[in-house]
Amino acid sequence: MTDLAPTPLALPGKPRADQVTRQVRADLSSWDFQPHLVSVLASGDPASRVYVDSKARQAKRLGVRFTVRDLGPQATQEKLHATLHALSDRK
């Protein structure tokens, strides 16, 4: 019996990611304003902090302003909604 399994193909992810990052930076530089990403953290979960820190690093690589609003693990639903509404109303 012959083995018909496909041969694995290596996909060079890092070079492609670098290419996409360069293209996004170039596209963003043509805008007449600087994007500002805000992450609202309402948890004491370490994995959430890792995720937010990862977003901060990527924003820096892209030249996007990034701010974290850490409401703490005791944040109420009302405080979270108020924060999100305040951010949505900003121009």
Side-chain angles (χ1 to χ4, degrees):
M1 179 171 239
T2 11
D3 184 4
L4 298 177
T7 304
L9 175 64
L11 297 175
K14 175 110 174 77
R16 179 66 178 143
D18 291 344
Q19 177 187 14
V20 168
T21 297
R22 282 191 305 276
Q23 185 61 53
V24 170
R25 280 184 66 88
D27 291 346
L28 291 175
S29 70
S30 70
W31 292 7
D32 59 353
F33 67 95
Q34 182 186 24
H36 182 189
L37 178 63
V38 179
S39 178
V40 178
L41 188 60
S43 167
D45 178 26
S48 295
R49 174 51 74 177
V50 168
Y51 178 79
V52 168
D53 291 346
S54 171
K55 297 300 121 194
R57 284 189 303 275
Q58 184 61 24
K60 184 176 182 177
R61 282 192 286 271
L62 294 173
V64 172
R65 194 169 137 214
F66 184 83
T67 304
V68 176
R69 292 280 180 94
D70 190 347
L71 304 180
Q74 304 303 320
T76 63
Q77 193 69 37
E78 292 76 23
K79 176 67 174 170
L80 178 58
H81 283 165
T83 301
L84 295 174
H85 284 288
L87 290 168
S88 295
D89 289 342
R90 290 177 65 189
K91 302 282 189 249

